[in-house]
Amino acid sequence: MENTTSLEYGRKGMLMQIVPVMLCFFAMGFVDLVGTASNYVQKDLGLTDSQANLFPSLVFFWFLIFSVPTGMLMNRIGRKKTVLISLVVTAVSLIIPVTGDSYMTMLISFSLLGIGNAIMQTSLNPLVTNLISGDKLASTLTFGQFVKAIASFLAPILAAWGAVTYLPTFGLGWRVLFVIYAVVSVLSISALAATPIEEERPDRASGVGECLRLLGRPFILLCFLGIMCHVGIDVGTNTTAPKIIMERLGLPLEEAGFATSVYFIFRTMGCFLGAFILRSVSPKLFLGISVLMMLAAMGMLFVCDTLTAIYIGIGLIGFGNSNVFSVVFSQALMSSPDEKNEVSGLMIMGLFGGTVFPLAMGYAADAVGQAGAVAVMTVGVIYLMYYTMKIKNA
């Protein structure tokens, strides 16, 4: 009887710890609102594609700067406190747009959103290892990505609701999205702060020099560029999908914005199914199929001008790109098992691809239309095909 009671108490205690952490994963997904928000800011302020694409580029620029220092910070103050700092920065970034919607205001907001997310991405996954270990860790992290994706595909729906609804949103319009997510951020801070989590002794801190020296290894460099392409395609599709529909079909942004939700719905499905498929299929085969799906999708986005066909192409990109990060990240770790901290920091720095691709896509779109943006993403897909041929069959 006592053993049963202890077991039930232990399960309840674990649930009380996991729920706040999963709420943090939901908050991690707030970074994906940048694609939707940048389209609305572009419409409100009359910006060019290159000017509007500066917003997602700015968000992901901070991964280059903050990933390795965050690892050092975790070793000083612990993972939980580091996640709390990231949530506070995220909450502030979401409150700022409520005060105004000028170009500079949004630049500051998106910068803080990028900084908060860079800190969160680096510290939240390691925090989970303090609660879950062994064969349950991978499934827990996968579920965390599933929760994160819910926030991602809700963003364009909430923004569109705010854009066409006036009384319930107190005149905020599409920016009600920031208010809702700011409230969730505050709830996340409160829940995690009240949750006791016992952490092990910190790992040795990795320096910037140690990480960058790993780029001298050919396969690590291939993985780093693979992460950049994956994130570039992810952010690029998030930002460009509605623009393709508006350009070719003439739909308003409030309707075209659903394309972003289509992308995240299929990315969520791919992430969930990938956790099971990868148990029986080799990473090389699975990645190859995923990349072929994205290549076919790019071809569709080049030539198709019907809503259904464009949605199919966007869905294929979402499903195909959903597991690229996990495959590339694991391949990098396995190639250097004695330097996992350094490799992890370097791969997170690869999220900087979310800066490079949107900038290039913006200039290409200004020059030749959205087909130019698709061409830039296609270069990333072709590289991932090359990368697939370089990884082992195991």
Side-chain angles (χ1 to χ4, degrees):
M1 184 68 177
E2 290 183 2
N3 289 338
T4 303
T5 302
S6 298
L7 183 60
E8 291 178 355
Y9 179 79
R11 288 175 178 173
K12 290 181 180 178
M14 179 63 68
L15 183 63
M16 293 295 291
Q17 290 179 314
I18 286 294
V19 170
V21 171
M22 287 301 135
L23 194 57
C24 294
F25 271 103
F26 188 85
M28 185 190 289
F30 295 170
V31 71
D32 291 320
L33 67 80
V34 64
T36 296
S38 63
N39 287 326
Y40 280 97
V41 175
Q42 181 178 13
K43 177 184 176 181
D44 291 346
L45 302 181
L47 306 177
T48 64
D49 280 335
S50 55
Q51 289 174 321
N53 281 14
L54 178 61
F55 293 124
S57 295
L58 190 61
V59 167
F60 286 90
F61 167 77
W62 299 107
F63 284 88
L64 180 68
I65 306 299
F66 279 88
S67 57
V68 172
T70 297
M72 300 176 184
L73 180 64
M74 281 192 292
N75 287 315
R76 278 183 169 272
I77 67 174
R79 295 165 181 169
K80 176 183 169 180
K81 290 181 179 178
T82 306
V83 175
L84 286 171
I85 290 174
S86 73
L87 289 169
V88 171
V89 175
T90 299
V92 172
S93 75
L94 295 169
I95 292 172
I96 288 176
V98 180
T99 65
D101 59 355
S102 70
Y103 191 69
M104 185 56 63
T105 297
M106 301 310 294
L107 283 177
I108 295 172
S109 171
F110 287 156
S111 291
L112 289 175
L113 182 62
I115 293 170
N117 204 261
I119 298 172
M120 196 183 308
Q121 293 254 22
T122 309
S123 57
L124 185 55
N125 285 329
L127 181 64
V128 176
T129 64
N130 294 120
L131 304 176
I132 305 293
S133 60
D135 57 354
K136 294 182 179 180
L137 177 59
S139 61
T140 303
L141 292 177
T142 299
F143 185 74
Q145 291 300 310
F146 173 76
V147 173
K148 173 181 178 289
I150 294 174
S152 300
F153 74 74
L154 279 179
I157 297 174
L158 292 172
W161 169 74
V164 299
T165 310
Y166 298 98
L167 183 60
T169 58
F170 302 100
L172 288 170
W174 67 270
R175 286 181 294 145
V176 71
L177 167 66
F178 289 92
V179 177
I180 295 171
Y181 279 178
V183 171
V184 178
S185 295
V186 173
L187 291 175
S188 301
I189 294 169
S190 302
L192 184 61
T195 303
I197 298 178
E198 185 177 349
E199 301 184 37
E200 70 266 17
R201 291 178 61 85
D203 298 327
R204 177 178 61 89
S206 301
V208 176
E210 292 174 290
C211 288
L212 295 181
R213 278 196 292 272
L214 290 174
L215 289 176
R217 301 180 186 179
F219 188 71
I220 293 295
L221 178 60
L222 288 175
C223 292
F224 179 80
L225 295 175
I227 294 291
M228 288 190 67
C229 289
H230 155 71
V231 179
I233 294 167
D234 182 70
V235 179
T237 305
N238 181 6
T239 305
T240 303
K243 297 178 183 178
I244 294 175
I245 293 175
M246 288 188 291
E247 178 184 82
R248 297 181 189 172
L249 302 178
L251 294 180
L253 178 57
E254 290 75 17
E255 295 181 34
F258 182 68
T260 304
S261 288
V262 171
Y263 172 75
F264 285 118
I265 288 170
F266 277 88
R267 195 181 76 169
T268 302
M269 292 170 53
C271 181
F272 181 76
L273 294 175
F276 300 98
I277 297 173
L278 282 168
R279 293 180 180 179
S280 55
V281 176
S282 72
K284 183 170 185 175
L285 176 61
F286 185 67
L287 183 60
I289 294 172
S290 299
V291 175
L292 285 174
M293 291 173 64
M294 288 193 286
L295 194 60
M298 294 299 168
M300 294 181 68
L301 294 185
F302 268 120
V303 301
C304 293
D305 57 3
T306 64
L307 188 60
T308 300
I310 293 173
Y311 276 165
I312 292 173
I314 293 168
L316 285 173
I317 298 173
F319 196 92
N321 204 32
S322 58
N323 293 282
V324 172
F325 180 87
S326 60
V327 172
V328 176
F329 196 88
S330 62
Q331 289 290 317
L333 290 179
M334 288 189 295
S335 71
S336 300
D338 296 329
E339 297 161 308
K340 290 183 178 179
N341 289 342
E342 290 79 4
V343 171
S344 296
L346 191 60
M347 292 303 109
I348 295 299
M349 285 176 66
L351 298 180
F352 177 66
T355 293
V356 177
F357 272 71
L359 281 177
M361 291 168 64
Y363 285 112
D366 284 344
V368 298
Q370 297 306 321
V374 175
V376 174
M377 290 194 292
T378 303
V379 172
V381 176
I382 292 172
Y383 175 81
L384 288 175
M385 181 61 71
Y386 170 76
Y387 171 83
T388 302
M389 295 185 291
K390 294 295 182 179
I391 67 177
K392 297 179 181 179
N393 285 305

